[in-house]
Every structure is written in structure tokens, then in C-alpha cells.
């Protein structure tokens, strides 16, 4: 069953305009932010956005000053990163209905959301979109929005449209010899009608899967020749004790994909 199917709790909350605080948990690109926009439109509330990773209390105070007497929807991205102090600051506004919270997170929020806030929220888990899910949406857009008939849509054309741009590792030594690793990637095909932009994450882990670098976003959105589709990035390793006898891994993960991330084994030449 889909969370938004007729009669499902989340669908009923929206259709009946029940002012319940929501936390939407799931992979990127699964419609969490879009749903917050739908909720704001349904309630006829202003929508403001807050990123708990980078924004601070001043921004929240500004929202409240902007809408002193008007309830509004607060879409909080990365809500699992919101500090306890910020959650405590929001609590009275959540209780009196001034702020209708829609928290979006890619991580289990149970441990990071304080009990006083969590007890007032309904948590819904979102699944990653499959290619067939995307194809279904495209099919509806073709028939309902563009009024195309089945004869006007070529067989398998929608599944081709649903394919994201791919990247491949172009240049590396497979050795970690500096705290800043410079890597080159090639976007295999240019963006076109059948190749959609995609977003990847590149980072290093140890043998246990523990993150040992920053997470670099790679935007596969290039057009033009092969040279124009070369993407250079720099990953910064943690300043820590490394072990020559252990293996380390470069992980390449496409955002929103249900496929296993690609892993490349590296040896260590760096000792700190």
C-alpha cells in the first residue's frame, strides 16, 4: 500500500486538514519536500524552509516575526540534525499551533528528536522510488497533463526517459597518500531527452563502513563533449590514525537509488 492511497492515515490527515506535526523519514528524492508544499497549499498556510544542518535560531525567529499572527508550515530538512536547544525553542510554537512542523530526514529520527517534540509528531517512513514508480508518474503526466493517447507514446519510451545519467571513476591511484584526495569522474553520456540529471555522493569509509571523509556531492548534469563531461572533485580525509594493514573504500552512491553503492578498495600510504 502507498502512504497516500485513499483511506491511508497520511492521506486522511491531509484531506481532512488535521493539524498534526509530521516527520517524514526516507531516502532523498522521495517526495518529502513536495508533500510539505501540498500540505501548506491544502491548509492555505505560508511555507517556510529551514535546514537543520546549516541554519540557526535567528532564522526561526525571523519566520515567527514575519508571521506573528498567522500559522505557517515549517519544512525542516535534516531534522535529525536539529539541536536540542532549537527543538526546545520550537516546542511552545508547536504546542499552540503557530507552527505546523513537517520534518524531513534521511535517518531514523527516534533517537535525535527530543521526547517532548517526538510525542507530538506522527512519523511516516517513505520508500525509495523505483524506475517503475517514475515511469508510472511519467505515464500519468503524458495522458492526464499532455492528453496523449497510448498510440502517441512509443513503447518503452517512458522507461528510457526514467534513466539517470551515469558516472564512472576516470583517474585515481587507489592509494590514499594525502588528506586531500583529488579524483576525476566522467559522465558517460550527455544530458538529453533520455538521460536525466542525477546527483551522486562520494566519500571514504573504513572496513567497518565508518565514514572517514567529508561527503562530496557530484552533479551529473553535463552536456557537450566527453571533455566537457569531466568532473573533478576533492575529498578531504579525516585527520586520524590510519593503518597500512587495513583496507579503505571509496563509495559512490546515487541519490535516491535503491541499488547498492559502488565501492572501490584503496590501500593506505598515509600515516598520521
Amino acid at each position: 500500500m502507498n502512504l497516500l492511497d485513499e483511506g491511508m492515515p497520511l492521506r486522511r490527515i491531509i484531506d481532512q486538514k488535521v493539524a498534526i506535526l509530521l516527520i517524514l523519514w526516507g531516502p532523498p528524492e522521495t517526495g518529502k519536500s513536495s508533500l510539505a508544499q501540498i500540505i501548506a497549499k491544502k491548509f492555505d498556510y505560508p511555507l517556510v524552509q529551514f535546514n537543520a544542518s546549516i541554519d540557526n535560531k535567528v532564522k526561526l525567529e525571523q519566520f515567527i516575526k514575519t508571521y506573528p499572527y498567522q500559522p505557517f508550515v515549517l519544512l525542516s530538512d535534516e531534522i535529525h540534525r536539529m539541536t536540542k536547544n532549537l527543538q526546545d525553542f520550537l516546542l511552545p510554537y508547536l504546542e499552540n499551533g503557530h507552527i505546523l512542523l513537517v520534518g524531513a530526514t534521511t535517518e531514523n529520527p527516534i533517537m535525535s528528536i527530543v521526547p517532548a517534540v517526538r510525542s507530538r509528531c506522527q512519523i511516516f517512513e517513505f520508500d525509495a522510488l523505483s524506475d517503475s514508480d517514475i515511469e508510472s508518474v511519467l505515464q500519468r503526466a503524458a495522458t492526464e497533463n499532455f492528453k496523449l493517447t497510448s498510440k502517441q507514446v512509443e513503447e518503452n519510451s517512458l522507461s528510457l526517459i526514467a534513466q539517470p545519467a551515469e558516472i564512472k571513476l576516470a583517474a585515481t591511484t587507489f592509494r590514499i597518500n594525502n588528506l586531500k584526495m583529488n579524483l576525476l569522474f566522467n559522465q558517460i553520456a550527455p544530458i538529453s531527452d533520455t538521460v536525466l540529471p542525477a546527483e551522486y555522493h562520494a566519500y571514504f569509509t573504513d572496513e567497518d563502513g565508518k565514514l572517514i571523509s567529508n561527503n562530496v556531492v557530484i552533479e551529473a548534469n553535463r552536456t557537450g563533449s566527453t571533455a566537457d563531461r569531466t568532473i573533478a572533485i576533492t575529498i578531504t580525509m579525516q585527520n586520524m590514525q590510519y593503518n597500512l594493514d587495513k583496507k579503505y573504500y571509496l563509495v559512490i552512491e546515487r541519490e535516491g537509488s535503491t541499488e547498492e553503492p559502488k565501492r572501490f578498495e584503496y590501500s593506505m600510504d598515509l600515516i598520521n
Side-chain angles (χ1 to χ4, degrees):
M1 293 285 287
N2 189 294
L3 285 173
L4 294 173
D5 281 347
E6 195 75 34
M8 295 295 285
L10 183 55
R11 175 68 177 270
R12 291 168 60 190
I13 287 171
I14 298 170
D15 286 346
Q16 297 174 17
K17 295 171 51 172
V18 181
I20 292 179
L21 312 180
L22 300 175
I23 296 179
L24 311 178
W25 164 34
E29 306 300 327
T30 50
K32 299 186 293 294
S33 298
S34 297
L35 189 61
Q37 295 174 16
I38 292 171
I39 291 170
K41 185 175 181 179
K42 187 77 172 179
F43 277 76
D44 196 23
Y45 284 179
L47 173 70
V48 297
Q49 292 186 256
F50 181 86
N51 189 317
S53 296
I54 57 176
D55 293 332
N56 56 29
K57 182 180 177 182
V58 173
K59 191 166 186 177
L60 291 176
E61 291 173 331
Q62 186 58 53
F63 293 149
I64 294 167
K65 290 178 182 178
T66 302
Y67 303 105
Y69 308 111
Q70 165 72 56
F72 61 89
V73 174
L74 173 65
L75 169 58
S76 177
D77 287 317
E78 306 291 330
I79 193 172
H80 62 278
R81 297 184 182 276
M82 185 178 285
T83 64
K84 181 181 182 299
N85 287 340
L86 282 183
Q87 293 182 55
D88 289 342
F89 169 76
L90 281 177
L91 188 57
Y93 300 98
L94 303 179
E95 290 178 325
N96 65 22
H98 192 173
I99 295 177
L100 183 59
L101 175 69
V102 180
T105 175
T106 56
E107 297 187 15
N108 190 328
I110 295 297
M111 300 302 296
S112 55
I113 306 300
V114 299
V117 173
R118 190 174 67 238
S119 64
R120 291 166 171 78
C121 295
Q122 291 289 323
I123 300 175
F124 292 94
E125 184 175 1
F126 281 47
D127 293 326
L129 294 176
S130 65
D131 287 346
S132 62
D133 292 328
I134 299 173
E135 187 175 343
S136 176
V137 172
L138 291 171
Q139 181 68 56
R140 288 181 59 189
T143 56
E144 296 178 15
N145 293 81
F146 294 97
K147 308 302 181 184
L148 300 177
T149 66
S150 57
K151 292 181 179 180
Q152 291 174 301
V153 181
E154 294 183 16
E155 186 178 1
N156 297 326
S157 62
L158 295 180
S159 61
L160 289 173
I161 293 174
Q163 298 305 309
E166 295 185 17
I167 61 173
K168 65 178 180 179
L169 188 61
T172 183
T173 62
F174 291 105
R175 291 185 177 184
I176 300 173
N177 52 25
N178 195 294
L179 286 177
K180 291 188 179 294
M181 293 290 294
N182 297 313
L183 301 171
L184 283 180
F185 292 84
N186 285 336
Q187 182 182 310
I188 296 174
I191 299 302
S192 66
D193 290 340
T194 58
V195 179
L196 299 179
E199 187 174 284
Y200 292 81
H201 295 266
Y203 51 90
F204 278 88
T205 71
D206 61 14
E207 292 178 338
D208 299 322
K210 180 182 177 181
L211 186 69
I212 59 170
S213 75
N214 64 329
N215 184 340
V216 177
V217 176
I218 303 172
E219 298 285 354
N221 56 8
R222 309 295 180 89
T223 59
S225 65
T226 301
D228 294 330
R229 300 197 306 272
T230 298
I231 304 171
I233 69 168
T234 299
I235 297 181
T236 303
M237 311 297 295
Q238 290 182 7
N239 190 0
M240 53 180 271
Q241 185 69 42
Y242 291 96
N243 191 327
L244 287 174
D245 298 325
K246 289 188 175 181
K247 298 297 182 184
Y248 300 87
Y249 297 90
L250 169 65
V251 182
I252 310 297
E253 182 176 5
R254 176 164 62 84
E255 186 164 328
S257 174
T258 57
E259 299 176 356
E260 279 292 314
K262 295 181 180 178
R263 288 179 169 81
F264 301 88
E265 184 178 300
Y266 275 68
S267 59
M268 181 59 65
D269 284 352
L270 175 68
I271 299 293
N272 283 346

